[in-house]
């Protein structure tokens, strides 16, 4: 054994006479010379294109530019690496040795090069799709996707290079639905589903529904490796109601009515609507079994606001009322606008803790909302928002006297007769607003009446709330009227200027939850006197 080891050591102590490394002769050279020999040839080999073949289609990369490099040091070291394998020892003693190149592979860099050059070798998996536009059937068959298996390809390159051709690895990505099952779903399900009209019966009424009408409700969906027909309940219900417009009955919400000076609840009436879930199941069965007849039931739908809901708001008593009166010379458009605003807020119910906004409810003061243009507003009415602010003022006063929590308020610049001094309010589209919040202990009902030139706002709420209101005026001024000259004079009374503070103390069930005040400064507006 010792003698064999000695022979093996001798055989591995030198480079054999006819040794090659990657086909380059290094026989009989010492290690430095062999290393230099390999270094001189490495650039040429690294610059030689390498083909990575993917199932008969190749991509070319330049190894040296793509993260592949030869390692002369490790290759030469392999020429004298000690071995006791008999066949290797014999070959070395005979002077014949072919050493493969040792290589260095920068995996991220080589992977990037393969992805860049091999983009045409990959494609996404295509899932099959079936649609029903306008009641017809369109389809796209599934197709398997193809991906380069980067890690396996890198291993193959590491093992084979510097061979000029390396076999890459491809991974197939199968679609969820195979083409055979797709074709069955297309022909046996989808095309039969829209092969003709569907007869739908709701109670004692029937109608034929064409495939084009059903189409928005139909789709084919993947389910456990196959495609199945699905019916969307909502578009189906729309199609049924369109074909049988009288079968549904809208719910009527509960509301308040004022009887003998007290709010009374008018009960809600539930609606009758197509049972969406049952309709979808019945239609699906009719389309997939070939019967093409579906009996669809109705179901009851509760109103958005029920009598029980309103009872919970505890609205039983009048909280406060306020009026705004327009003068006889007020333009008719301003009167119409004030009345229109009153109509829009009439009957509003504010749930406990909710906030009411005059501007949000009344909306834009436009013709589309029923408002008129005021061409010649009277002097001093610049803040009146074409008459709408008269109604807003009555609302603010009622909310103030009703003890409600109020939002920011802006008073008129000049006192307007017909409004309560100190409790008027400006409301304008996109600007000042009148807001209040219902107490958490009870809701608020808002009612309005229009009687000639008078707008009245009444707020209703729970019992046990009382408000004491007092007012103090100061700094009153009354300028002399201005005598007009020339024809066409229109006399106008003087509007006094003054400061006013209005205070309130709110009592709720014996406690005082709110004590506050509002202060207003009105500018004087001289009257106009016409010469006699």
């Amino acid at each position: 054994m010792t003698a064999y080891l000695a022979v093996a050591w001798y055989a591995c102590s030198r480079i054999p006479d006819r040794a090659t490394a990657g086909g380059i002769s290094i026989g009989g050279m010492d290690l430095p010379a062999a290393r230099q020999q390999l270094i001189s040839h490495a650039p040429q080999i690294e610059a030689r294109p390498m083909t990575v073949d993917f199932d008969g289609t190749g991509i070319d990369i330049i190894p040296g530019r793509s993260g592949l490099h030869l390692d002369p040091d490790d290759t030469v070291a392999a020429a004298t690496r000690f071995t006791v394998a008999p066949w290797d020892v014999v070959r070395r003693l005979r002077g014949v040795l072919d050493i493969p190149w040792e290589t260095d592979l920068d995996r991220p860099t080589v992977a990037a090069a393969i992805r860049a050059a091999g983009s045409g070798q990959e494609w996404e998996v295509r899932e099959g799709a079936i649609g029903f536009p306008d009641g017809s059937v369109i389809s796209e068959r599934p197709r398997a996707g193809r991906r380069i298996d980067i890690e396996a390809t890198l291993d193959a390159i590491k093992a084979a290079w510097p061979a000029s051709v390396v076999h890459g690895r491809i991974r197939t990505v199968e679609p969820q639905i195979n083409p055979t099952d797709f074709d069955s779903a297309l022909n046996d399900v989808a095309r039969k589903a829209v092969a003709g009209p569907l007869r739908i019966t709701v109670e004692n009424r029937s109608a034929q529904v064409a495939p084009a009408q059903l189409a928005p409700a139909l789709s084919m969906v993947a389910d456990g490796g196959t495609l199945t027909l699905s019916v969307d309940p909502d578009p189906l219900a729309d199609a049924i109601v369109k074909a049988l417009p009288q079968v549904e009955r809208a719910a009527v919400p509960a509301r308040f009515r004022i009887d003998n000076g007290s709010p009374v609840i008018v009960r809600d009436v539930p609606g009758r609507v197509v049972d969406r879930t049952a309709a979808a199941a019945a239609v699906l069965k009719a389309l997939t079994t070939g019967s093409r007849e579906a009996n669809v039931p109705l179901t009851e739908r509760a109103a958005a606001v029920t009598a029980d809901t309103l009872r919970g708001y505890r609205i039983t008593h009048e909280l406060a009322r306020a009026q705004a009166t327009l003068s006889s010379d007020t333009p008719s458009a301003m009167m119409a606008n004030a009345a229109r605003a009153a109509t829009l807020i009439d009957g509003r119910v504010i749930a406990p803790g909710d906030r009411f906004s005059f501007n949000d409810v009344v909306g834009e003061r436009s013709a589309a909302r029923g408002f008129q243009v005021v061409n010649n507003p009277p002097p001093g009415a610049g803040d009146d928002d074409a008459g709408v602010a008269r109604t807003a003022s009555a609302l603010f006063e009622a909310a103030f006297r009703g003890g409600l929590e109020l939002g920011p308020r802006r008073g008129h610049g000049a006192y307007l007769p017909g409004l309560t001094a100190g409790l008027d309010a400006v409301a304008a589209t996109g600007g000042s607003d009148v807001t209040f919040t219902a107490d958490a202990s009870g809701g608020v009902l808002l009612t309005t009446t229009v009687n000639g030139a008078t707008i009245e706002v009444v707020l209703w709420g729970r019992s046990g709330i009382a408000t004491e209101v007092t007012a103090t005026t100061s700094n009153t001024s009354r300028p002399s009227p201005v005598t007009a000259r020339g024809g066409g004079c229109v006399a106008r009374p003087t509007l006094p200027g003054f400061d006013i503070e209005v205070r309130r103390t709110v009592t709720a069930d014996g406690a005082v939850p709110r004590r506050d005040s509002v202060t207003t400064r009105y500018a004087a507006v001289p009257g106009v006197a016409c010469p006699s």
Side-chain angles (χ1 to χ4, degrees):
M1 183 65 181
T2 302
Y4 178 77
L5 292 175
V7 171
W9 176 84
Y10 171 77
C12 296
S13 64
R14 51 187 288 278
I15 297 176
D17 292 339
R18 287 176 289 169
T20 59
I24 300 170
S25 177
I26 57 173
M29 297 181 182
D30 58 19
L31 294 181
R35 175 178 178 277
Q36 192 60 43
Q37 174 79 333
L38 296 182
I39 289 174
S40 66
H41 285 79
Q44 180 181 357
I45 297 173
E46 292 178 357
R48 188 168 59 211
M50 176 183 66
T51 298
V52 183
D53 178 75
F54 295 101
D55 296 338
T57 304
I59 62 172
D60 292 333
I61 62 174
I62 304 300
R65 300 176 188 171
S66 306
L68 279 166
H69 299 285
L70 301 173
D71 191 334
D73 291 334
D74 284 356
T75 304
V76 170
T80 57
R81 186 174 295 130
F82 180 73
T83 179
V84 294
W87 179 242
D88 287 342
V89 171
V90 170
R91 285 194 306 163
R92 287 173 182 271
L93 291 174
R94 294 175 61 186
V96 178
L97 182 64
D98 184 21
I99 306 166
W101 274 102
E102 295 290 332
T103 58
D104 180 21
L105 183 146
D106 181 344
R107 294 181 79 90
T109 303
V110 178
I114 292 173
R115 288 192 179 97
S119 59
Q121 301 295 321
E122 297 183 302
W123 50 81
E124 295 291 337
V125 62
R126 183 178 68 204
E127 299 294 347
I130 300 174
F132 300 94
D134 301 323
S136 60
V137 178
I138 61 169
S139 64
E140 186 175 38
R141 295 190 81 237
R143 182 191 67 183
R146 179 170 149 128
R147 282 276 180 262
I148 295 175
D149 189 331
I150 293 294
E151 293 303 318
T153 298
L154 293 178
D155 291 341
I157 291 172
K158 175 69 174 174
W161 188 65
S164 59
V165 177
V166 176
H167 293 287
R169 304 293 188 266
I170 288 292
R171 177 168 53 88
T172 300
V173 183
E174 296 293 342
Q176 295 181 35
I177 312 298
N178 67 56
T180 300
D181 290 340
F182 177 87
D183 291 342
S184 295
L186 175 64
N187 296 316
D188 299 339
V189 180
R191 288 189 172 130
K192 289 182 178 180
V194 291
L198 174 70
R199 184 175 184 80
I200 291 181
T201 301
V202 182
E203 294 185 339
N204 60 345
R205 298 178 180 178
S206 297
Q208 297 280 356
V209 181
Q213 295 172 285
L214 285 176
L218 303 182
S219 62
M220 298 292 289
V221 297
D223 181 18
T226 187
L227 283 174
T228 61
L229 182 66
S230 177
V231 180
D232 189 331
D234 289 332
L236 173 63
D238 292 341
I240 294 173
V241 172
K242 187 173 182 179
L244 296 167
Q246 304 301 320
V247 297
E248 288 195 329
R249 184 187 67 212
V252 179
R255 60 184 178 85
F256 283 102
R257 182 182 69 234
I258 305 302
D259 277 351
N260 297 320
S262 297
V264 175
I265 294 174
V266 179
R267 292 192 59 84
D268 55 289
V269 179
R272 295 268 287 167
V273 298
V274 170
D275 186 326
R276 267 68 172 160
T277 302
V283 168
L284 179 63
K285 182 178 179 180
L287 296 179
T288 53
T289 62
S291 69
R292 310 204 73 79
E293 292 189 2
N295 290 309
V296 174
L298 296 176
T299 188
E300 188 174 278
R301 175 175 291 178
V305 179
T306 66
D308 288 341
T309 300
L310 295 187
R311 272 191 289 271
Y313 292 175
R314 304 170 64 192
I315 299 173
T316 58
H317 288 70
E318 179 180 319
L319 295 176
R321 65 178 60 214
Q323 293 182 344
T325 301
L326 288 77
S327 62
S328 59
D329 61 347
T330 301
S332 60
M334 292 184 68
M335 289 187 176
N337 290 340
R340 175 59 179 160
T343 300
L344 290 172
I345 65 174
D346 182 43
R348 295 284 171 165
V349 177
I350 300 90
D354 280 2
R355 174 180 174 274
F356 177 87
S357 164
F358 180 84
N359 282 343
D360 286 351
V361 174
V362 172
E364 184 180 6
R365 285 48 149 178
S366 64
R369 293 283 291 168
F371 293 99
Q372 301 179 22
V373 175
V374 179
N375 295 315
N376 297 300
D383 291 332
D384 195 27
D385 194 22
V388 173
R390 306 295 179 107
T391 303
S393 294
L395 174 63
F396 179 84
E397 180 181 354
F400 185 89
R401 294 184 182 277
L404 297 172
E405 179 184 344
L406 294 161
R409 166 239 182 208
R410 181 166 73 89
H412 287 82
Y415 169 67
L416 295 180
L419 302 180
T420 300
L423 293 180
D424 57 340
V426 175
T429 303
S432 301
D433 198 1
V434 172
T435 63
F436 64 83
T437 301
D439 290 340
S441 60
V444 174
L445 168 65
L446 193 166
T447 63
T448 65
T449 56
V450 179
N451 186 6
T454 299
I455 308 293
E456 183 172 64
V457 175
V458 184
L459 297 182
W460 310 82
R462 72 176 183 87
S463 62
I465 298 176
T467 306
E468 180 184 353
V469 178
T470 59
T472 303
T473 60
S474 60
N475 302 322
T476 301
S477 63
R478 185 180 295 274
S480 301
V482 176
T483 301
R485 297 180 180 180
C489 175
V490 178
R492 186 178 69 239
T494 295
L495 298 179
F498 57 96
D499 297 341
I500 183 169
E501 180 184 14
V502 183
R503 298 171 296 277
R504 68 174 178 172
T505 300
V506 181
T507 303
D509 303 322
V512 180
R514 194 166 294 116
R515 182 182 281 117
D516 53 15
S517 65
V518 291
T519 301
T520 310
R521 171 165 291 179
Y522 294 116
V525 179
V528 175
C530 297
S532 55

